[in-house]
Amino acid sequence: SHMKQLGTKGEQRERVEKDKALFGGREIAGKTLGVIGLGHIGSATARDAAALGMDVIGYDPGMTIESALKLPRETQILGGMK
């Protein structure tokens, strides 16, 4: 009984892996992400996107130099700083 269940679970796993292929998306590395507002959430999003290999362009009219220094070096910042 236990061995039959293992065989069934293995077949189910194969089916799940095949089904995953149907939902395959495009790679995001090399794509550009624009982030409007580089506060706590926006800067975290910029860091995560840069870690995934995305080009990040950020805009925040209230950006300070201290906040800008916390962003990934590759982030392009549009707009003035206070």
Side-chain angles (χ1 to χ4, degrees):
S1 173
H2 181 65
M3 294 304 283
K4 287 182 182 178
Q5 288 178 350
L6 287 176
T8 304
K9 288 180 182 178
E11 291 171 6
Q12 289 173 349
R13 182 175 290 136
E14 282 182 33
R15 194 177 86 234
V16 168
E17 292 301 320
K18 286 180 184 177
D19 289 346
K20 283 183 186 178
L22 296 174
F23 297 101
R26 296 181 178 177
E27 295 296 322
I28 61 173
K31 302 288 185 195
T32 301
L33 175 69
V35 181
I36 299 174
L38 294 167
H40 182 72
I41 295 172
S43 61
T45 302
R47 277 193 298 276
D48 292 346
L52 292 170
M54 296 184 78
D55 299 319
V56 181
I57 300 172
Y59 173 76
D60 191 333
M63 172 71 64
T64 63
I65 293 173
E66 293 81 22
S67 297
L69 291 173
K70 294 178 184 176
L71 293 170
R73 198 175 284 224
E74 302 83 21
T75 304
Q76 296 176 27
I77 302 172
L78 304 178
M81 287 189 229
K82 291 184 177 180

Coordinates of all heavy atoms in Angstrom, one line a residue:
S1 N 0.8 -1.2 0.0 CA 0.0 0.0 0.0 C 0.9 1.3 0.0 O 0.6 2.2 -0.8 CB -0.9 0.0 1.2 OG -1.6 1.2 1.3
H2 N 1.9 1.3 0.9 CA 2.7 2.4 1.0 C 3.5 2.6 -0.3 O 3.7 3.8 -0.8 CB 3.7 2.3 2.2 CG 4.6 3.4 2.4 ND1 4.1 4.7 2.7 CD2 6.0 3.5 2.3 CE1 5.2 5.5 2.8 NE2 6.3 4.8 2.5
M3 N 4.0 1.5 -0.9 CA 4.8 1.6 -2.1 C 3.9 2.1 -3.3 O 4.4 2.9 -4.1 CB 5.4 0.3 -2.5 CG 6.4 -0.2 -1.5 SD 7.8 1.0 -1.3 CE 8.7 0.7 -2.8
K4 N 2.6 1.8 -3.3 CA 1.7 2.3 -4.4 C 1.5 3.8 -4.2 O 1.5 4.5 -5.2 CB 0.4 1.6 -4.3 CG 0.4 0.1 -4.7 CD -1.0 -0.5 -4.6 CE -1.0 -1.9 -5.1 NZ -2.3 -2.6 -4.9
Q5 N 1.4 4.2 -3.0 CA 1.3 5.7 -2.8 C 2.5 6.4 -3.3 O 2.4 7.5 -3.8 CB 1.0 6.0 -1.3 CG -0.3 5.6 -0.8 CD -0.5 5.9 0.7 OE1 0.4 6.2 1.4 NE2 -1.8 5.7 1.1
L6 N 3.7 5.9 -3.0 CA 4.9 6.5 -3.5 C 4.9 6.7 -5.0 O 5.3 7.7 -5.5 CB 6.2 5.8 -3.0 CG 6.5 5.9 -1.6 CD1 7.7 5.0 -1.3 CD2 6.8 7.3 -1.2
G7 N 4.5 5.6 -5.7 CA 4.4 5.7 -7.2 C 3.4 6.8 -7.6 O 3.7 7.5 -8.6
T8 N 2.3 6.9 -7.0 CA 1.3 7.9 -7.3 C 1.8 9.3 -7.1 O 1.6 10.2 -7.9 CB 0.0 7.7 -6.5 OG1 -0.5 6.3 -6.7 CG2 -1.1 8.6 -6.9
K9 N 2.5 9.5 -6.0 CA 3.0 10.8 -5.6 C 4.1 11.2 -6.6 O 4.2 12.3 -7.0 CB 3.6 10.8 -4.2 CG 2.5 10.8 -3.1 CD 3.1 10.8 -1.8 CE 2.0 10.7 -0.7 NZ 2.6 10.7 0.6
G10 N 4.9 10.2 -7.1 CA 5.9 10.5 -8.1 C 5.3 11.0 -9.4 O 5.8 11.9 -10.0
E11 N 4.2 10.3 -9.8 CA 3.5 10.7 -11.0 C 2.9 12.1 -10.9 O 2.9 12.9 -11.8 CB 2.4 9.7 -11.3 CG 2.9 8.3 -11.8 CD 1.8 7.3 -11.9 OE1 0.6 7.6 -11.7 OE2 2.2 6.1 -12.1
Q12 N 2.4 12.4 -9.7 CA 1.8 13.7 -9.5 C 2.9 14.8 -9.5 O 2.6 15.8 -10.1 CB 1.1 13.7 -8.1 CG -0.2 12.9 -8.0 CD -0.7 12.9 -6.6 OE1 -0.1 13.2 -5.6 NE2 -2.0 12.3 -6.5
R13 N 4.0 14.5 -9.0 CA 5.1 15.4 -9.0 C 5.5 15.7 -10.5 O 5.8 16.9 -10.8 CB 6.3 14.9 -8.2 CG 7.5 15.9 -8.2 CD 8.6 15.5 -7.3 NE 8.2 15.6 -5.9 CZ 8.4 14.6 -5.0 NH1 9.1 13.6 -5.3 NH2 8.0 14.8 -3.8
E14 N 5.6 14.7 -11.3 CA 6.0 14.9 -12.7 C 4.9 15.7 -13.4 O 5.3 16.6 -14.2 CB 6.0 13.5 -13.4 CG 7.3 12.8 -13.2 CD 7.4 11.4 -13.9 OE1 6.8 11.4 -15.1 OE2 7.9 10.5 -13.4
R15 N 3.7 15.5 -13.1 CA 2.6 16.3 -13.7 C 2.7 17.8 -13.3 O 2.5 18.7 -14.1 CB 1.2 15.7 -13.4 CG 0.1 16.3 -14.3 CD -1.2 15.7 -14.0 NE -1.8 16.5 -13.0 CZ -2.3 15.9 -11.9 NH1 -2.3 14.6 -11.7 NH2 -2.9 16.7 -10.9
V16 N 3.0 18.0 -12.1 CA 3.1 19.4 -11.6 C 4.3 20.0 -12.3 O 4.2 21.2 -12.7 CB 3.3 19.4 -10.0 CG1 3.7 20.8 -9.6 CG2 2.0 19.0 -9.3
E17 N 5.4 19.4 -12.4 CA 6.6 20.0 -13.1 C 6.2 20.3 -14.5 O 6.6 21.3 -15.1 CB 7.8 19.0 -13.0 CG 8.3 18.9 -11.6 CD 8.8 20.2 -11.0 OE1 9.4 21.0 -11.7 OE2 8.5 20.4 -9.8
K18 N 5.5 19.4 -15.2 CA 5.1 19.7 -16.6 C 4.2 20.9 -16.7 O 4.2 21.7 -17.6 CB 4.5 18.4 -17.2 CG 5.4 17.3 -17.5 CD 4.7 16.1 -18.1 CE 5.7 15.0 -18.4 NZ 5.0 13.8 -18.9
D19 N 3.2 20.9 -15.7 CA 2.3 22.1 -15.7 C 3.0 23.4 -15.4 O 2.6 24.4 -15.9 CB 1.2 21.8 -14.6 CG 0.2 20.7 -15.0 OD1 0.2 20.3 -16.2 OD2 -0.5 20.3 -14.1
K20 N 4.0 23.4 -14.6 CA 4.8 24.6 -14.4 C 5.4 25.2 -15.7 O 5.4 26.4 -15.8 CB 6.0 24.3 -13.4 CG 5.6 24.2 -12.0 CD 6.8 24.0 -11.1 CE 6.5 23.7 -9.7 NZ 7.8 23.5 -8.9
A21 N 5.8 24.3 -16.6 CA 6.3 24.8 -17.8 C 5.3 25.6 -18.7 O 5.7 26.5 -19.4 CB 6.8 23.6 -18.7
L22 N 4.1 25.3 -18.5 CA 3.0 26.1 -19.2 C 3.0 27.5 -18.8 O 2.5 28.4 -19.5 CB 1.7 25.4 -19.0 CG 1.5 24.0 -19.6 CD1 0.1 23.5 -19.1 CD2 1.6 24.0 -21.1
F23 N 3.4 27.8 -17.5 CA 3.3 29.1 -17.0 C 4.7 29.9 -17.0 O 4.8 30.8 -16.3 CB 2.8 29.1 -15.5 CG 1.4 28.6 -15.5 CD1 1.1 27.2 -15.1 CD2 0.3 29.4 -15.9 CE1 -0.2 26.8 -15.1 CE2 -1.0 28.9 -15.8 CZ -1.2 27.6 -15.5
G24 N 5.6 29.3 -17.7 CA 6.9 30.0 -17.8 C 6.8 31.4 -18.3 O 6.1 31.6 -19.3
G25 N 7.5 32.3 -17.7 CA 7.5 33.7 -18.2 C 8.8 34.1 -18.8 O 9.7 33.3 -19.0
R26 N 8.9 35.3 -19.1 CA 10.1 35.9 -19.7 C 11.1 36.2 -18.5 O 10.6 36.5 -17.4 CB 9.8 37.1 -20.5 CG 8.9 36.8 -21.6 CD 8.7 38.1 -22.4 NE 7.9 37.8 -23.6 CZ 7.4 38.6 -24.4 NH1 7.7 39.9 -24.2 NH2 6.7 38.3 -25.4
E27 N 12.3 36.2 -18.8 CA 13.3 36.6 -17.9 C 13.2 38.1 -17.6 O 12.9 38.9 -18.5 CB 14.7 36.3 -18.4 CG 15.0 34.8 -18.5 CD 14.9 34.0 -17.2 OE1 15.4 34.6 -16.2 OE2 14.3 32.9 -17.2
I28 N 13.5 38.5 -16.4 CA 13.4 40.0 -16.1 C 14.8 40.6 -16.0 O 14.9 41.8 -16.0 CB 12.6 40.2 -14.8 CG1 13.2 39.6 -13.6 CG2 11.2 39.8 -14.9 CD1 12.6 40.0 -12.3
A29 N 15.8 39.8 -16.0 CA 17.2 40.4 -16.0 C 17.4 41.2 -17.3 O 17.0 40.7 -18.4 CB 18.2 39.3 -15.9
G30 N 17.9 42.4 -17.1 CA 18.1 43.2 -18.3 C 16.9 44.1 -18.6 O 17.0 45.1 -19.4
K31 N 15.8 43.9 -18.0 CA 14.6 44.8 -18.2 C 14.7 46.0 -17.3 O 15.5 46.0 -16.4 CB 13.3 44.0 -17.8 CG 13.0 42.8 -18.6 CD 12.6 43.0 -20.0 CE 12.3 41.7 -20.6 NZ 12.2 41.7 -22.0
T32 N 14.0 47.0 -17.6 CA 14.1 48.3 -16.9 C 12.8 48.5 -16.0 O 11.7 48.3 -16.5 CB 14.2 49.5 -17.8 OG1 15.4 49.3 -18.6 CG2 14.3 50.8 -17.1
L33 N 13.0 48.8 -14.8 CA 11.9 49.1 -13.8 C 12.0 50.5 -13.4 O 13.0 51.0 -13.0 CB 12.0 48.2 -12.6 CG 11.0 48.4 -11.5 CD1 9.6 48.0 -11.9 CD2 11.4 47.7 -10.2
G34 N 10.9 51.2 -13.5 CA 10.8 52.6 -13.0 C 10.1 52.6 -11.7 O 9.0 52.0 -11.5
V35 N 10.7 53.2 -10.7 CA 10.1 53.3 -9.3 C 9.8 54.7 -9.0 O 10.7 55.6 -9.0 CB 11.1 52.7 -8.3 CG1 10.5 52.7 -6.9 CG2 11.4 51.3 -8.6
I36 N 8.6 55.0 -8.8 CA 8.2 56.4 -8.4 C 8.0 56.4 -6.9 O 7.1 55.7 -6.4 CB 6.9 56.8 -9.1 CG1 7.1 56.8 -10.6 CG2 6.5 58.2 -8.7 CD1 5.9 57.0 -11.5
G37 N 8.8 57.2 -6.2 CA 8.8 57.2 -4.7 C 9.8 56.2 -4.2 O 9.7 55.0 -4.3
L38 N 10.9 56.8 -3.7 CA 12.0 55.9 -3.2 C 12.1 56.0 -1.7 O 13.2 56.1 -1.1 CB 13.3 56.4 -3.8 CG 13.3 56.1 -5.3 CD1 14.5 56.8 -6.0 CD2 13.4 54.6 -5.6
G39 N 10.9 55.9 -1.0 CA 10.9 55.8 0.4 C 11.2 54.4 0.8 O 12.0 53.7 0.1
H40 N 10.7 53.9 1.9 CA 11.0 52.6 2.4 C 10.7 51.5 1.4 O 11.5 50.6 1.1 CB 10.3 52.3 3.8 CG 10.6 51.0 4.4 ND1 11.9 50.8 5.0 CD2 9.9 49.9 4.5 CE1 11.9 49.5 5.4 NE2 10.7 49.0 5.2
I41 N 9.4 51.5 1.0 CA 9.0 50.4 0.0 C 9.7 50.6 -1.3 O 10.1 49.6 -1.9 CB 7.5 50.4 -0.1 CG1 6.9 50.0 1.3 CG2 7.0 49.5 -1.2 CD1 5.4 50.2 1.3
G42 N 9.7 51.8 -1.9 CA 10.3 52.0 -3.2 C 11.8 51.6 -3.2 O 12.3 51.0 -4.2
S43 N 12.5 52.0 -2.2 CA 14.0 51.7 -2.1 C 14.2 50.2 -2.0 O 15.1 49.6 -2.6 CB 14.7 52.4 -1.0 OG 14.2 52.1 0.2
A44 N 13.3 49.5 -1.2 CA 13.4 48.0 -1.1 C 13.1 47.4 -2.4 O 13.8 46.4 -2.8 CB 12.4 47.5 0.0
T45 N 12.1 47.9 -3.1 CA 11.8 47.4 -4.5 C 13.0 47.6 -5.4 O 13.3 46.7 -6.2 CB 10.5 48.1 -5.0 OG1 9.5 47.8 -4.1 CG2 10.2 47.5 -6.4
A46 N 13.6 48.8 -5.4 CA 14.8 49.0 -6.2 C 15.9 48.1 -5.9 O 16.6 47.6 -6.8 CB 15.2 50.5 -6.0
R47 N 16.2 47.8 -4.6 CA 17.3 46.9 -4.3 C 17.0 45.5 -4.8 O 17.8 44.9 -5.3 CB 17.4 46.9 -2.7 CG 18.3 48.0 -2.2 CD 18.7 47.8 -0.8 NE 17.5 47.7 0.1 CZ 16.9 48.7 0.7 NH1 17.3 50.0 0.4 NH2 15.8 48.6 1.4
D48 N 15.7 45.0 -4.6 CA 15.4 43.7 -5.0 C 15.5 43.6 -6.5 O 16.0 42.6 -7.1 CB 14.0 43.3 -4.6 CG 13.9 43.2 -3.1 OD1 14.9 43.0 -2.4 OD2 12.7 43.1 -2.6
A49 N 15.0 44.6 -7.3 CA 15.0 44.6 -8.7 C 16.5 44.6 -9.2 O 16.8 43.8 -10.1 CB 14.3 45.7 -9.3
A50 N 17.3 45.4 -8.6 CA 18.8 45.4 -9.0 C 19.4 44.0 -8.7 O 20.2 43.6 -9.5 CB 19.5 46.5 -8.2
A51 N 19.0 43.4 -7.6 CA 19.6 42.1 -7.3 C 19.2 41.0 -8.3 O 19.9 40.1 -8.5 CB 19.2 41.7 -5.9
L52 N 18.0 41.2 -8.9 CA 17.6 40.3 -10.0 C 18.1 40.7 -11.3 O 17.8 40.0 -12.3 CB 16.0 40.3 -10.0 CG 15.3 39.8 -8.8 CD1 13.8 40.0 -8.9 CD2 15.6 38.3 -8.7
G53 N 19.0 41.7 -11.4 CA 19.6 42.0 -12.7 C 18.9 43.0 -13.5 O 19.1 43.2 -14.7
M54 N 17.9 43.7 -12.9 CA 17.1 44.7 -13.6 C 17.8 46.0 -13.6 O 18.6 46.3 -12.7 CB 15.7 44.8 -13.0 CG 14.9 43.6 -13.1 SD 13.2 43.8 -12.5 CE 12.5 44.7 -13.9
D55 N 17.6 46.9 -14.6 CA 18.0 48.2 -14.6 C 16.9 49.0 -13.9 O 15.7 48.9 -14.2 CB 18.2 48.8 -16.0 CG 19.2 48.0 -16.8 OD1 20.3 47.7 -16.2 OD2 19.0 47.7 -18.0
V56 N 17.3 49.9 -12.9 CA 16.3 50.6 -12.1 C 16.5 52.1 -12.3 O 17.6 52.6 -12.3 CB 16.5 50.3 -10.6 CG1 15.4 51.0 -9.8 CG2 16.4 48.8 -10.4
I57 N 15.3 52.7 -12.6 CA 15.3 54.2 -12.7 C 14.3 54.6 -11.6 O 13.2 54.2 -11.6 CB 14.7 54.6 -14.1 CG1 15.7 54.1 -15.2 CG2 14.6 56.2 -14.1 CD1 15.2 54.4 -16.6
G58 N 14.8 55.5 -10.7 CA 13.9 56.0 -9.6 C 13.7 57.4 -9.7 O 14.5 58.2 -10.1
Y59 N 12.5 57.8 -9.2 CA 12.1 59.2 -9.1 C 11.5 59.5 -7.7 O 10.6 58.7 -7.3 CB 11.1 59.6 -10.2 CG 10.6 61.0 -10.0 CD1 11.4 62.1 -10.3 CD2 9.4 61.3 -9.5 CE1 11.0 63.4 -10.1 CE2 8.9 62.6 -9.3 CZ 9.7 63.6 -9.6 OH 9.3 64.9 -9.4
D60 N 12.0 60.5 -7.0 CA 11.4 60.9 -5.8 C 11.7 62.4 -5.6 O 12.9 62.7 -5.4 CB 11.9 60.1 -4.6 CG 11.1 60.3 -3.3 OD1 10.5 61.4 -3.1 OD2 11.1 59.4 -2.5
P61 N 10.7 63.3 -5.7 CA 11.1 64.7 -5.5 C 11.6 65.1 -4.2 O 12.3 66.1 -4.0 CB 9.7 65.4 -5.8 CG 8.7 64.4 -5.6 CD 9.3 63.0 -5.8
G62 N 11.3 64.3 -3.2 CA 11.8 64.6 -1.8 C 13.0 63.8 -1.4 O 13.4 63.8 -0.2
M63 N 13.7 63.3 -2.4 CA 14.9 62.4 -2.1 C 16.0 63.3 -1.5 O 16.4 64.3 -2.0 CB 15.4 61.8 -3.4 CG 16.7 61.1 -3.3 SD 16.7 59.5 -2.4 CE 15.6 58.5 -3.4
T64 N 16.6 62.7 -0.4 CA 17.8 63.4 0.2 C 19.0 62.6 -0.2 O 19.0 61.5 -0.7 CB 17.7 63.3 1.8 OG1 17.7 62.0 2.2 CG2 16.4 64.0 2.3
I65 N 20.1 63.3 -0.1 CA 21.4 62.6 -0.5 C 21.7 61.4 0.4 O 22.1 60.4 -0.1 CB 22.6 63.6 -0.3 CG1 22.4 64.7 -1.4 CG2 23.9 62.9 -0.5 CD1 23.4 65.9 -1.3
E66 N 21.3 61.5 1.7 CA 21.5 60.3 2.5 C 20.7 59.1 2.0 O 21.1 58.0 2.0 CB 21.1 60.6 4.0 CG 22.0 61.6 4.7 CD 21.7 63.1 4.3 OE1 20.6 63.4 3.8 OE2 22.6 63.9 4.4
S67 N 19.4 59.4 1.6 CA 18.6 58.3 1.1 C 19.1 57.7 -0.2 O 19.1 56.5 -0.4 CB 17.1 58.8 0.9 OG 16.6 59.2 2.1
A68 N 19.6 58.6 -1.0 CA 20.2 58.2 -2.3 C 21.4 57.3 -2.1 O 21.6 56.3 -2.9 CB 20.5 59.4 -3.2
L69 N 22.1 57.5 -1.1 CA 23.3 56.7 -0.9 C 23.0 55.3 -0.4 O 23.8 54.4 -0.5 CB 24.2 57.4 0.1 CG 24.9 58.7 -0.3 CD1 25.7 59.4 0.8 CD2 25.9 58.4 -1.5
K70 N 21.8 55.1 0.0 CA 21.3 53.7 0.5 C 20.8 52.9 -0.7 O 20.6 51.7 -0.5 CB 20.2 53.9 1.5 CG 20.7 54.5 2.8 CD 19.6 54.7 3.8 CE 20.1 55.4 5.0 NZ 19.0 55.7 6.0
L71 N 20.6 53.5 -1.8 CA 20.2 52.8 -3.0 C 21.3 52.0 -3.7 O 22.5 52.4 -3.5 CB 19.5 53.7 -4.0 CG 18.2 54.4 -3.5 CD1 17.8 55.5 -4.5 CD2 17.1 53.4 -3.4
P72 N 21.0 51.0 -4.5 CA 22.0 50.3 -5.2 C 22.7 51.3 -6.2 O 22.1 52.2 -6.7 CB 21.3 49.3 -6.1 CG 20.0 49.0 -5.3 CD 19.7 50.3 -4.7
R73 N 24.0 51.1 -6.3 CA 24.8 52.1 -7.1 C 24.4 52.2 -8.5 O 24.5 53.3 -9.1 CB 26.3 51.6 -7.1 CG 27.3 52.6 -7.5 CD 28.7 52.0 -7.3 NE 29.0 52.0 -5.9 CZ 30.1 52.4 -5.4 NH1 31.1 52.7 -6.2 NH2 30.4 52.3 -4.1
E74 N 23.8 51.1 -9.1 CA 23.3 51.1 -10.5 C 22.0 51.9 -10.7 O 21.7 52.2 -11.8 CB 23.1 49.7 -10.9 CG 24.3 48.8 -10.8 CD 24.5 48.2 -9.4 OE1 23.5 48.1 -8.7 OE2 25.6 47.8 -9.1
T75 N 21.3 52.3 -9.6 CA 20.1 53.0 -9.8 C 20.2 54.4 -10.3 O 21.0 55.2 -9.8 CB 19.4 53.1 -8.4 OG1 19.2 51.8 -7.8 CG2 18.0 53.8 -8.5
Q76 N 19.5 54.7 -11.4 CA 19.5 56.0 -12.0 C 18.4 56.8 -11.3 O 17.3 56.4 -11.2 CB 19.2 56.0 -13.5 CG 20.2 55.2 -14.3 CD 19.7 55.2 -15.7 OE1 19.0 56.0 -16.2 NE2 20.2 54.1 -16.4
I77 N 18.8 58.0 -10.8 CA 17.8 58.8 -10.0 C 17.5 60.0 -10.8 O 18.4 60.8 -11.3 CB 18.4 59.2 -8.7 CG1 18.8 58.0 -7.8 CG2 17.4 60.1 -7.9 CD1 19.5 58.3 -6.6
L78 N 16.2 60.2 -11.1 CA 15.7 61.3 -11.8 C 15.2 62.4 -10.9 O 14.6 62.0 -9.8 CB 14.6 60.9 -12.8 CG 14.9 59.8 -13.8 CD1 13.7 59.5 -14.6 CD2 16.1 60.2 -14.7
G79 N 15.3 63.6 -11.2 CA 14.7 64.7 -10.3 C 15.8 65.2 -9.4 O 16.9 64.6 -9.2
G80 N 15.5 66.3 -8.8 CA 16.5 67.0 -7.8 C 16.4 66.3 -6.5 O 15.6 65.6 -6.1
M81 N 17.5 66.7 -5.7 CA 17.6 66.2 -4.3 C 17.6 67.4 -3.4 O 18.0 68.5 -3.7 CB 18.8 65.4 -4.1 CG 18.8 64.1 -4.8 SD 20.2 63.1 -4.3 CE 20.7 62.5 -5.9
K82 N 17.1 67.1 -2.2 CA 17.0 68.2 -1.2 C 18.4 68.3 -0.5 O 19.1 67.4 -0.2 CB 16.0 67.9 -0.1 CG 14.6 68.0 -0.7 CD 13.6 67.8 0.5 CE 12.2 68.0 0.0 NZ 11.2 67.8 1.0

